[in-house]
C-alpha cells in the first residue's frame, strides 16, 4: 500500500510538471500541392460503332498529378517534450489532370486537420492525423460525389530555427470524389514551409 501511494504521488508530480511546460504558439504554413485522383476501379462503357454494332468495352480512368498550392494557419500546442497537438485550417487547391492531355479538374477545399506531431530531436518531427475537407470551389467539368472528403495524412518536418521550418506530407482521401459509381479518391503530396510566431 505504501509503495502504491508513492507511485501515485510520483505520477501526479510528473503530470503536473509536464502540464506546467505546456505552450501554445500560432503559425502559418504554405507551399505546393501535387494532387491527383486515383485510377479507381475499371468500369464498362457502351457505344455503337460506325456499322451500328453495340460495343461494350472495359476502361479505367487515367489521372495524373497537377500542381497547385495550399495556405493555412495552425496552433502549436506543445504538450510534452516529444508530442505536440497541432490543429490546422487550410485552403487547399487540388484536383487532377486527365491522362496526358492538358485537360484538368480544379477543386478547392477548406481543410480542417488534427495533426499529431512527434518530435525526435529539436529539428526533426513526424506528422500523423485525420482531416475533413469541404469543397469551396470547383471547375464546371467536375461533378462531385460529395462536398466533403475525409482523409489521413502522414508527413515529416525539419526546423531550421524555433520559428522557421519545412515539411512534406502525403494526404489520402477515403471518400469517392466523382459521382459516377467509381472509387476515385484524392491523393495529395505537399511540400512547403512553416513559420511559428514566438509570442513571448
Amino acid at each position: 500500500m505504501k509503495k502504491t501511494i508513492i507511485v501515485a504521488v510520483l505520477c501526479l508530480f510528473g503530470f503536473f510538471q509536464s502540464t506546467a511546460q505546456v505552450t501554445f504558439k500560432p503559425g502559418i504554413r504554405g507551399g505546393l500541392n501535387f494532387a491527383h485522383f486515383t485510377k479507381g476501379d475499371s468500369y464498362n462503357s457502351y457505344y455503337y460503332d460506325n456499322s451500328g454494332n453495340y460495343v461494350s468495352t472495359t476502361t479505367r480512368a487515367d489521372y495524373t498529378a497537377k500542381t497547385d498550392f495550399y495556405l493555412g494557419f495552425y496552433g502549436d500546442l506543445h504538450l510534452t517534450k516529444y508530442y505536440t497537438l497541432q490543429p490546422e485550417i487550410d485552403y487547399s487547391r487540388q484536383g487532377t489532370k486527365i491522362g496526358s492531355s492538358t485537360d484538368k479538374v480544379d477543386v478547392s477545399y477548406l481543410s480542417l486537420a488534427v495533426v499529431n506531431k512527434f518530435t525526435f530531436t529539436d529539428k526533426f518531427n513526424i506528422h500523423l492525423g485525420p482531416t475533413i475537407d469541404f469543397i469551396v470551389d470547383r471547375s464546371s467539368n467536375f461533378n462531385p460525389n460529395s462536398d466533403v472528403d475525409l482523409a489521413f495524412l502522414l508527413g515529416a518536418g525539419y526546423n531550421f530555427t524555433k520559428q522557421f521550418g519545412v515539411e512534406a506530407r502525403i494526404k489520402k482521401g477515403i471518400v469517392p470524389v466523382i459521382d459516377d459509381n467509381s472509387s476515385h479518391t484524392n491523393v495529395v503530396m505537399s511540400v512547403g514551409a512553416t513559420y511559428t510566431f514566438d509570442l513571448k
Side-chain angles (χ1 to χ4, degrees), residues 94-112:
Q94 299 173 198
T96 190
K97 284 186 178 179
I98 302 174
S100 58
S101 69
T102 58
D103 295 334
K104 62 180 180 177
V105 172
D106 294 315
V107 193
S108 298
Y109 289 92
L110 181 66
S111 179
L112 306 177

Side-chain angles (χ1 to χ4, degrees), residues 29 70-74 88-92 109-113 169:
R29 58 190 302 269
Y70 69 92
L71 182 66
F73 303 91
Y74 61 85
E88 299 177 357
I89 180 169
D90 300 306
Y91 175 74
S92 181
Y109 289 92
L110 181 66
S111 179
L112 306 177
R169 292 179 179 176

Side-chain angles (χ1 to χ4, degrees), residues 92-150:
S92 181
R93 287 182 55 87
Q94 299 173 198
T96 190
K97 284 186 178 179
I98 302 174
S100 58
S101 69
T102 58
D103 295 334
K104 62 180 180 177
V105 172
D106 294 315
V107 193
S108 298
Y109 289 92
L110 181 66
S111 179
L112 306 177
V114 179
V115 179
N116 300 281
K117 184 184 288 186
F118 300 93
T119 303
F120 298 101
T121 69
D122 291 338
K123 303 290 186 181
F124 182 72
N125 48 76
I126 296 292
H127 312 165
L128 174 68
T131 75
I132 180 168
D133 303 340
F134 302 91
I135 293 178
V136 293
D137 191 25
R138 60 184 174 88
S139 54
S140 59
N141 62 340
F142 177 54
N143 184 26
N145 177 66
S146 171
D147 287 334
V148 179
D149 189 20
L150 300 175

